[in-house]
Amino acid sequence: MADALKKMETIKPGMTRAKLLEVFTTEGGTSTALQRTFVSQDCPYFKVDVTFEAVGWPSHYPEGRVTLEEDGRDVVLKISRPYLQFSIVD
């Protein structure tokens, strides 16, 4: 578990979605392209909540809808501390 935590703590704001996906994978449940919960690839009970800045398109469309596009170049704005939770299955 210590190794999994150390690996998760390498992801910091300013890094890209692609870099985050080397350590985490997506979680089920409600999310948007700009805010999503991720689970550790090493232990699926470790999770983080991440907020992104969109790269290559607007984060919101004129009618206020949030973009659905995800890109490996998107930038991590915020990442929560790791927490424990059972898996969510859609």
Side-chain angles (χ1 to χ4, degrees), residues 7-8 10-25 38 41 50 52 71-76 79:
K7 192 172 174 183
M8 286 185 284
T10 64
I11 304 301
K12 306 283 185 202
M15 292 182 160
T16 64
R17 183 185 299 266
K19 189 69 175 169
L20 177 126
L21 289 172
E22 292 176 8
V23 177
F24 295 95
T25 189
F38 291 86
Q41 290 181 7
V50 182
F52 294 95
D71 189 296
R73 300 172 296 161
D74 293 342
V75 176
V76 174
I79 183 167

Side-chain angles (χ1 to χ4, degrees), residues 66-83:
V66 175
T67 185
L68 299 175
E69 302 293 326
E70 294 183 12
D71 189 296
R73 300 172 296 161
D74 293 342
V75 176
V76 174
L77 290 178
K78 290 191 248 179
I79 183 167
S80 71
R81 298 177 93 176
Y83 60 92

